[in-house]
Amino acid sequence: METLTHQSSLTTETVASFHIHHLRFLDAEGQLTQPLPPFADPHTLLKLYEWMVLVRTFDTKAVNLQRTGQLGTFPSSLGQEALTVGMGYALLPTDVYGTCYRDQGVLIQRNVKMSEILAYWGGDERGNCYAHNKTDLPTSIPVASHLHHATGMAYALQYRNEHRAVLTLVGDGGTSQGDFYEAINLAGVWKLPIVFVINNNQWAISVSRHRQTRAHTLAQKAIAAGFEGIQVDGNDVIAVHETVACALDRARNGQGPTLIEALTFRLCDHTTADDANRYIPKEEMDAAWENEPIKRLRTYLHEQGYWDKEKEHALIKQCREQIDVAVQEYSNTPKQTLSELFDYLYAELPEPLHDQKEAMITQPPVEGA
Amino acid sequence: MTELTMVQAINQALAYEMTADNSVVLLGEDIGRNGGVFRVTDGLLDRFGPTRVLDTPLAESMIAGTAIGMAIQGLKPIAEFQFMGFIYPGFSQIISHASRMRNRTRGRLTCPIVYRAPYGGGIHAPEMHCESTEALFAHIPGLRVVIPSSPAKAYGLLLAAIRCPDPVVFLEPKRIYRMHKQAVPDTGEALALDRCYSLREGSDVTLISWGAMLHETQLAANELSKHGIEADVIDVATVKPLDIVTILNSVEKTGRCVIVHEAARHCGVGAEIAAQIAEYGLLSLLAPIQRVTGFDTIMPYFKLEKNYLPSVKRIIQSVNHVMEYA
């Protein structure tokens, strides 16, 4: 206070103060830091573990497909499996999800087919036409812009008095966008049924978290919007799930929005078009690997006797088979028709565009198409 | 029957559709108790309540983007931007998401939204409150851009825009918000989008315009008539997509054409109309196509705005020029 006024003897009163809590159950060594929450029975923990392994195996496959020319630019989610799996597992089918682009672990649990994810990153918009999910947003490219769609959807749920909530994800870089502040502000003012999660993976392409903001935590940004923010260990799937599930419950019950900052680390390039070696120091990357989410849960499950090498091998084999089927499906997807470019532009193609559609379809053969 | 101004006609259309359809909600700055800075939403808060007439925090990107989420979840939002000059923070939402949601999800999610904004000059408003940038939106695939020219057109076209399953940018020429009154029966009947309307028949020259500029254009047509020049006057109404067939039919009849718009000339909607006439109707032209437009300068603050806006005299001058060609 003294530094904010010219006189140190002034009398002032505290009109606002805040605390940001950090939650963790499982540390990097796979040891519990406190008793498990009620949801975390062995069956559920194994289920979460299986999802995480599937997501990582899929991720590895997708990167390989890109490296061998079978996929376009792909944003790996390596190292962030606990976050997206914990989030996805907390959603009810009636909830709605607003995706960004580094959250395949949520999408897969939302019945988005792996072949659809591959189709999208393979350059085909049909990958956004989820066959088994009629509500969730498509992959959103302009960073943080989808947060407004999430709040708009949340308003519709609130308007109809439905016992449903919206969950959405943004990166640490996304919190610098005006859209982030505008969206959380509206969510606060309208007390919307929404949960915002920040995947603070420390790097927005090449700009580190501390170059995005001087704020001590990202969770505290919720305070400015008038609701609670909490920080969790995003590499601890138990902490992620507990926090997200609780926040979703509150949202469904009319208790308004929550902001969750999950601390993770991007153990990969930003996308396959990036090279993180240019800017992430090797020591930092090595240290982050010690902290990664799958190993700690495996260690815990091992030590509790729920898991062994045989089960691990069987799981990986099963994941690979499942992914191979998805890759086959992706490879065998029939080509789009040229007509589609016009067919979904409007509900009904306006008359003035009919000639252009005809010209598109009947154009001379295009080399390489 | 009581006659209505354009402001009242828009209010009547909003009320009609909100009564008919519970999914219609309004959002924007100061649209609730205040009824909007131009009073377009006057009284709607009391009639429909605060869950359907939503005063938002002051953030235009949020207004544009929140409407998208609402629409995806089954509502029919009508978002008001206070002035077109403030629409630009929301531009990214409109062009990156609203216009392409149907296409990029292959019809799974859609955006039936009306983005309303008062636009255009001539009311002595503060700086940056007066631009006409309809061409920015007309350039974007997936959007419709609709501009009414009278109270009755505003009523009918707005109803059509609200019922349209795709996003519509609905630009309200604020200079004529209260200029004329007209009988506007509250029948709930929409006017067709995507087509031009004929306001006057003549066989000597085609005058093409939209919005407030049709006022000067029609005055010019009446003046020209005194001198034996009969103009066909076309109200474009939907500047995107463009009903070029109606325009070509007229130009085929008259052989001469003057396009009038407030917006700056370069890449204005008039350029597209001229290009299409040249492409499809060149052989029916007896004279070069002329454009009477705003200048390629910054839209001036109000001391000079009358010098910027096309005048009746400038329109007549242009018509006289095209009439010189035998």
Side-chain angles (χ1 to χ4, degrees), chain A residues 209-332:
Chain A
R209 146 75 177 84
H210 294 285
R211 295 271 171 193
Q212 293 292 341
T213 173
R214 189 172 287 279
H216 187 60
T217 69
L218 300 180
Q220 75 199 55
K221 290 171 186 281
I223 306 304
F227 56 90
E228 283 195 69
I230 182 169
Q231 189 185 70
V232 299
D233 182 340
N235 290 330
D236 172 7
V237 69
I238 303 164
V240 170
H241 181 275
E242 172 68 9
T243 315
V244 174
C246 175
L248 282 170
D249 263 341
R250 286 164 39 80
R252 293 183 203 111
N253 292 325
Q255 292 169 277
T258 308
L259 177 67
I260 299 165
E261 175 191 8
L263 299 180
T264 64
F265 197 93
R266 205 188 74 210
L267 293 172
C268 50
D269 301 326
H270 163 65
T271 65
T272 49
D274 176 44
D275 176 8
N277 290 321
R278 293 170 62 89
Y279 50 83
I280 301 183
K282 187 176 181 305
E283 318 76 70
E284 192 177 332
M285 185 64 98
D286 290 346
W289 268 106
E290 295 302 309
N291 215 11
E292 71 96 2
I294 292 185
K295 191 175 64 182
R296 68 170 75 175
L297 184 57
R298 187 169 52 231
T299 304
Y300 175 76
L301 294 173
H302 256 294
E303 287 179 3
Q304 298 301 309
Y306 305 142
W307 201 247
D308 55 37
K309 278 201 171 148
E310 222 168 279
K311 286 178 179 162
E312 179 79 8
H313 287 144
L315 173 63
I316 289 174
K317 184 166 176 282
Q318 188 201 327
C319 289
R320 283 184 180 154
E321 284 167 4
Q322 201 180 338
I323 291 160
D324 284 345
V325 171
V327 173
Q328 274 308 311
E329 202 176 315
Y330 162 61
S331 310
N332 295 335

Side-chain angles (χ1 to χ4, degrees), chain B residues 3-4 16 29 65 76 78 92 104 106 114 118 133 153-154 160 186 208-209 224 239-240 251 262 293 303 323 325:
Chain B
E3 298 197 321
L4 304 183
Y16 185 94
E29 295 156 5
K76 287 186 190 165
I78 303 172
S92 169
R104 65 191 299 269
R106 290 298 188 258
V114 181
T133 49
K153 287 266 173 57
D186 196 12
I208 301 164
S209 191
L224 288 162
V239 300
K240 163 83 171 224
V251 173
E262 257 184 65
T293 68
K303 289 276 190 193
M323 294 311 293
Y325 292 80

Side-chain angles (χ1 to χ4, degrees), chain B residues 187-265:
Chain B
T187 58
E189 274 178 43
L191 286 169
L193 303 176
D194 304 354
R195 58 156 290 198
C196 299
Y197 291 84
S198 170
L199 298 188
R200 186 186 194 282
E201 303 234 345
S203 55
D204 298 321
V205 62
T206 300
L207 302 183
I208 301 164
S209 191
W210 51 93
M213 264 305 135
L214 277 162
H215 176 66
E216 281 70 22
T217 303
Q218 285 178 288
L219 289 179
N222 294 342
E223 192 60 31
L224 288 162
S225 177
K226 291 178 194 162
H227 298 91
I229 299 169
E230 297 302 335
D232 235 21
V233 176
I234 292 176
D235 176 358
V236 177
T238 300
V239 300
K240 163 83 171 224
L242 181 67
D243 168 20
I244 196 65
V245 174
T246 298
I247 293 171
L248 288 173
N249 286 342
S250 173
V251 173
E252 195 178 350
K253 178 174 70 174
T254 63
R256 294 174 174 88
C257 166
V258 176
I259 304 161
V260 184
H261 64 66
E262 257 184 65
R265 191 179 187 84

